[in-house]
Amino acid sequence: MSLWERTKEILKGRFPDSSYSLWIDPLTCIHTDDHVIELAGPDRFFNSWVAEKYLTNIKQGLAELGQGDLRVQFAVAQEDGKFLPPGEAQEQLRLPEMPRVGTSVRALHPKYTFDEFMVGDANMLAHSACQALANNDDSLGRCIFIEAGTGLGKSHLTHSVAHHIINQSPSTRLHYRTAHQLTAEMVQGIKNNTMDQFKDKYYKHCDVLLVEDIHALSGRTKTQEELSGVVDALIESNKRIIFTSAISAKDIQNIDPGFRSRLSSGLITTINPPDLRTRMLIIKRKALNSKLELSDELIEYVADHVRCDIRLIESAVVGVKAKACLLKRAPDLDMVKEVISNIIGRYQDLSTEVIRDFVARQFKVSVSDMRSKSRKKAIAFPRQVTMYLARKLTDQALSDIGKAFNRDHSTVVHSIRVVTEGIARNNSVRGQVELLAKKIKEQFL
C-alpha cells in the first residue's frame, strides 16, 4: 500500500463519511520523494479549500507514518488522468464571488525555496521579512524593497515567497513580474486598447505583487505612473508587495519623486555579500544536493576563494562534482584548486589598472586624464565604464578600484550605478560595455 493510501486510511477515521468522500478521497498522489508529496485534485478551488481546511490533518497523518518532514503540494488533475503544472489550470467551477483572474507568475526555479536559502548576517533581515510576508504576517510590514547585487539571493527570496504562497494558499492571486515584463504587458495593453483589463488585473484582482529589477523602470514614465497607482491601491487594501533592485530606491535616476516615495514606503533591506560562515553553509548544502562529499578543509578553501557571487559558488561545486566523476575518485585539495582556478583564477590575474589602460586606449584618452579630477563627459564616461568592468571582471575591493583613479569607494559605487542604469535604458551604452568586456576577456583571460 502506498504512503498516500496509508495516510488516507488514517484520515478516514477522523472525518465524517460525507467530508472524507467529498474532500479527501478524490485526492490522488502523483509524485512522492524524500522531500515532497504531490496530490492532485479536480480543480484549483478544490485544492485551495483542502489546503486551507485539511492540510494540517494531512500533515499529522503523514507524521504518524514517520513522514512528517514531507512538504505537501497540490496539482490540478484532468479528465485523462494527467495533471497540469501550476499556472496552467483549465477553466473550472468557481464560486460566484471568486474572480476569474488568478495567479500569474514567471517561471519559478524549483530549488529557489526557503528551505534552500542559507541565512546569515548579510541577508537575515531580508529573509525574515520575506518569510513573514509569505505567511501573511504583517509584523515587518506589507511592502518590502530588497536591494542586492547580482548573485546575492534577491531572486531566490522572491521565488521562495511565490513557491510558499502557491503551495500553501493556492487561491491567493499572486502576480510575479520583472520590470521589463510589466512594461511589455502595459505596452501591449496600450496597443490592443485593453488597458482596462490591465488595470483590473492589478487593481482589483491582486493579493500579492512581486516585481523584480525595479531599477529597470528608470526613464519609463508611463510604466511608473501606472505602477504608482497600482501600489497606492494595493497598500490601501492592505495587500502584499515586494520590489527588488540592484540599486537603492534613492539612487535610481529618472524616476518620478512620487514613485520613488512609494518604493520607499515600506521596509527597505539590503542583501550584502555572504560572510565566510554563510558561504560555507551554502557550499555544504549545494554539495549535499549534488551528492558530493567534501571535507571541512575543502569547503573552507572554496568559501575562502569564491566570495561575492553565489552563482560562482554553485559553479565551483558543480565543477568539482564533474571532475570527481570524470577521474572516478574523491575530491582532494589539488582537484579543488584546479577547478577554482578555472572559475576565478583568471579574474584574480586581471587588475583595475590593466582594464583602465585598455579602456583608455579604446576611447583614445590618456591614463593621466582618467586619473585627473576632470568631469568632462569624454573622460568621465570611460572612467565610469572602467570602474564598472573592474567590479564585474575582478575580485578587487571598491577601495582598490578607486585607488586606480585617485577616488574613494563612494565614487566607484556611483559610477557602477550610472553605468548599470545606462545599460538598462540605452542600447548604445549596453553595446559599448558588452564589446569592451568581450575584448578584455579575449585579450587578457
Side-chain angles (χ1 to χ4, degrees), residues 56-68:
T56 300
N57 303 97
I58 292 173
K59 288 184 174 180
Q60 287 173 351
L62 290 169
E64 291 182 24
L65 296 172
Q67 300 293 334

Side-chain angles (χ1 to χ4, degrees), residues 32 93 137 147 229 234 246 279 291 306 316 320 395 425:
T32 183
L93 294 176
D137 174 2
E147 177 196 351
L234 294 180
R279 295 198 300 274
K291 297 181 179 179
V306 187
V320 173
D395 232 358
R425 67 173 186 269

Side-chain angles (χ1 to χ4, degrees), residues 55 97 99 119 145 150 153 156-157 187 190 193 195 212 223 232 250 268 292 355 375-376:
L55 182 59
E97 65 271 18
V119 182
F145 184 98
T150 301
H156 190 144
L157 279 179
V187 170
I190 294 173
N193 198 27
M195 278 302 292
E212 286 235 57
T223 309
D232 281 344
K250 63 182 178 62
I268 300 176
L292 175 67
I355 297 174
R375 296 185 178 180
K376 293 181 180 178

